[in-house]
Amino acid sequence: SNSEKMATAVFDPSKSQAGADTIADFLRRPISGDLKADKIPGVGAASIKALEAVGITTTYQLFGKYLSFKGEGITPQEHANLFYSWLKNDVKTAAGYTAT
């Protein structure tokens, strides 16, 4: 099943291509909602195109999708794994491979 497949992908932050400074800079900037203009670390043109293909057209929608995987009793690692699995299995983006 899809839920079993999703459970197999494990997010490993040590493999992230975005450094701590890059992530900190992103977190300090205001968010416009524009996926391209917001320059989310690890989300380039190919990932944006793939996200748009599954209906994610704004930064807010991407954040909302991330939050949609959070639930009662889900640990931060499980939460990250669920989102990472969605990127790898459903969106099939480069971000799913190097998600930060």
Side-chain angles (χ1 to χ4, degrees):
S1 83
N2 194 32
S3 62
E4 288 173 23
K5 182 169 72 170
M6 287 186 68
T8 62
V10 175
F11 174 69
D12 182 353
S14 72
K15 293 182 180 176
S16 174
Q17 305 238 343
D21 289 342
T22 301
I23 294 170
D25 289 345
F26 170 73
L27 293 172
R28 282 189 210 91
R29 288 194 308 266
I31 300 299
S32 71
D34 183 306
L35 280 170
K36 291 176 187 145
D38 286 333
K39 296 182 178 159
I40 301 167
V43 179
S47 295
I48 290 170
K49 186 173 182 174
L51 287 165
E52 288 172 343
V54 297
I56 304 293
T57 60
T58 71
T59 306
Y60 304 124
Q61 289 173 327
L62 183 58
F63 290 173
K65 187 65 177 181
Y66 172 76
L67 293 171
S68 75
F69 291 104
K70 184 65 177 153
E72 188 174 335
I74 294 178
T75 68
Q77 181 65 54
E78 290 168 334
H79 186 198
N81 292 348
L82 288 168
F83 184 66
Y84 178 71
S85 294
W86 173 74
L87 289 171
K88 279 188 70 144
N89 298 322
D90 297 349
V91 181
K92 298 177 175 59
T93 68
Y97 180 73
T98 60
T100 56

